[in-house]
Amino acid sequence: MPDEATPTPAPADADAPVSAGGARGPSRRSIGRAAVAVAATPVLAGTWQALTASAAAAADAVGERGRAWTGTWAAAETTVPAADATAFADQTLRQVVHTSAGGRALRIRLTNRYGTEPLVVGEIRVALSVPGDGTAVVPGTDRAVRFGGRTSVTLPPGTRRWSDPVSLDVPTAADLAVSVYLPQPTPADTVHRSAFQRNHVAAGNVAAKPAVDPQRTVTSWYFLAGVAVTGAAPGTDAGAATGSRRAIVAFGDSITDGSATTVGANRRWSDVLARRLRDEAGRTGTGVLNTGIGGNRLLRDPNPPPGSNAENYAPYFGEAGIRRFARDVLDQPAARHVIVLLGINDLGHPGRDAPRDEEVTAADLITGHRSLIRQAHARGLRIHGATVLPVEGDDLGFHTPERDRVRQTVNDWIRTAGEYDGTIDFDAATRDPAHPTRLLAAYDSGDGLHPNDAGMEAMAAAIPLRLFT
């Protein structure tokens, strides 16, 4: 995998570029106010061409001695609101991530994507986590993580970087504990806010400790962007290490991110898909990478109305899907497929979390979907469109009859236009047959918008596994 500490500059509307000299990416304040106009979508049609070479190198990720790397876990990063003063100093973050594919060695991807100062990491360790206890690791599995042979690393602002290979037998569907020691005051300005996983903050450098005594528990991931594996998973046929290795990227908003699912249980629809691939298709070499972000929109960056409460949380929504696609999909190791579920926040945010004049039409959303299709096809990925779930009766006020007509028009286009390589009908899988503009009560988490664990099972069951052959 390439060293990303000194990135190649990208076009201005692609990946919020960082110059080779380490110029800053967007700040926590600027991202909260920036808006990507729908009219900018055609510009992105040229962006993916310029990104092809660098994205291909990272996605194929052929490392030392010809080893091919496959993504097994990922998280999409965002910046934070100005009101978020979270910081760490002389503390260890023990963070738990769940694998989808196994291997004989791994690499960790650190990120300082939205940092405005260098990220100084004193030590990193990785181990298998004791099931059900994110504070303790399985004896004999603890390993040092190095960068360029060193146990410490400094990432300039705006960069991400893969570690050296770490020899460790990594099972499929395992929990990894990644312990990151931060020796000096470090603003927590690069984050995946809603991890639906309990992670722990402990005093001092306890990265190598078999168990930590946490000062506090958090449900976010900080400074972690990915894990990749190589080699056949323990207990599987060696063939899983060769041609069958690939990754599927789940790209979406809070419904993909796992909102309202049981914390620490890995019941997102992407987790259930990974289980189906293993159990029903024997695909132990296929990674399923979740790059959903709660509140994410297809067409626009966060744009909270000035003076509104949304300024306190909207930056967590992440850059527009058409902008972050290159980083969060094309840049994933061994990515071969992507499933897109975006659009409900484009419909629901105007007048609440964004200005009223950002209402969208079906044509706007279809243009955005076409941008993702072009980007994926230019990179050689197969891209599958998922229909948008119904939300009538939701607690957030997303639904109106006019917005639902737009949703249904976009869904009809996804189903019938033939522009996506495959279609997945999440709408049909989760709606109430007696009232199809609402979620089925058995799948409703209680807010009328987010499916519960059973709803996630139904969504995953609706995905035809033949799409990934």
Side-chain angles (χ1 to χ4, degrees), residues 10-11 13-16 44 47-52 54-56 58-59 109 160 251 320-332 372 375-376 379:
D13 53 2
D15 195 19
L44 296 182
T47 295
W48 39 261
Q49 293 174 330
L51 291 172
T52 299
S54 61
R109 191 183 221 173
R160 304 191 292 181
F251 186 69
I322 54 174
R323 275 172 30 95
R324 70 182 184 93
F325 191 82
R327 179 178 71 253
D328 292 340
V329 176
L330 304 185
D331 199 28
Q332 299 296 342
L372 301 186
Q375 292 182 64
R379 174 60 183 83

Side-chain angles (χ1 to χ4, degrees), residues 3-394:
D3 185 325
E4 299 165 294
T6 306
T8 300
D13 53 2
D15 195 19
V18 180
S19 71
R24 294 181 180 181
S27 71
R28 64 177 67 181
R29 286 184 173 84
S30 66
I31 192 69
R33 298 287 178 88
V36 177
V38 173
T41 303
V43 176
L44 296 182
T47 295
W48 39 261
Q49 293 174 330
L51 291 172
T52 299
S54 61
D60 287 329
V62 177
E64 292 83 353
R65 297 182 296 280
R67 290 189 291 185
W69 295 87
T70 302
T72 186
W73 175 85
E77 319 103 288
T78 76
T79 187
V80 301
D84 187 342
T86 303
F88 308 102
D90 188 25
Q91 291 173 304
T92 298
L93 310 181
R94 180 157 286 181
Q95 304 182 86
V96 176
V97 304
H98 191 68
T99 67
S100 53
R104 297 291 183 177
L106 61 82
R107 277 179 156 175
I108 304 291
R109 191 183 221 173
L110 284 185
T111 175
N112 192 24
R113 166 70 186 170
Y114 295 101
T116 57
E117 301 294 337
L119 173 64
V120 178
V121 177
E123 184 177 11
I124 304 181
R125 312 285 297 193
V126 64
L128 298 181
S129 180
V130 171
D133 180 5
T135 66
V137 303
V138 176
T141 66
D142 178 66
R143 302 287 189 275
V145 179
R146 292 179 169 82
F147 292 80
R150 298 182 178 182
T151 56
S152 62
V153 64
T154 298
L155 270 65
T159 64
R160 304 191 292 181
R161 183 171 173 179
W162 286 103
S163 74
D164 300 343
V166 178
S167 179
L168 178 67
D169 282 355
V170 181
T172 58
D175 285 342
L176 294 175
V178 182
S179 299
V180 179
Y181 172 57
L182 303 171
Q184 63 186 43
T186 305
D189 45 13
T190 297
V191 64
H192 185 89
R193 176 67 171 178
S194 300
F196 305 101
Q197 172 63 56
R198 293 180 184 89
N199 300 307
H200 306 284
V201 183
N205 184 2
V206 293
K209 295 289 186 182
V212 299
D213 183 13
Q215 295 174 305
R216 68 182 188 275
T217 297
V218 297
T219 53
S220 299
W221 286 303
Y222 296 97
F223 311 119
L224 291 181
V227 179
V229 293
T230 189
T236 63
D237 186 270
T242 56
S244 63
R245 301 221 65 140
R246 65 188 66 187
I248 301 164
V249 185
F251 186 69
D253 49 40
S254 58
I255 295 174
T256 295
D257 201 15
S259 184
T261 59
T262 302
V263 173
N266 301 301
R267 292 179 180 171
R268 309 164 192 84
W269 64 259
S270 58
D271 296 315
V272 183
L273 172 60
R275 188 179 71 219
R276 287 190 62 210
L277 287 165
R278 291 191 301 269
D279 295 349
E280 299 176 29
R283 299 279 292 278
T284 58
T286 298
V288 180
L289 308 178
N290 190 313
T291 61
I293 301 176
N296 196 232
R297 291 192 285 179
L298 174 63
L299 299 174
R300 290 185 170 90
D301 288 351
N303 188 25
S308 71
N309 186 50
E311 289 187 309
N312 295 321
Y313 57 80
Y316 297 128
F317 295 165
E319 297 172 34
I322 54 174
R323 275 172 30 95
R324 70 182 184 93
F325 191 82
R327 179 178 71 253
D328 292 340
V329 176
L330 304 185
D331 199 28
Q332 299 296 342
R336 297 294 181 268
H337 296 267
V338 54
I339 300 170
V340 175
L341 176 58
L342 278 172
I344 195 60
N345 292 314
D346 296 75
L347 292 168
H349 281 190
R352 181 182 185 277
D353 301 317
R356 175 62 69 184
D357 63 7
E358 292 186 356
E359 289 278 356
V360 295
T361 66
D364 294 335
L365 290 172
I366 290 169
T367 297
H369 281 281
R370 284 173 170 157
S371 172
L372 301 186
I373 293 168
R374 288 194 297 270
Q375 292 182 64
H377 286 169
R379 174 60 183 83
L381 272 68
R382 293 183 62 81
I383 183 168
H384 312 289
T387 54
V388 180
L389 282 62
V391 298
E392 185 179 353
D394 71 288

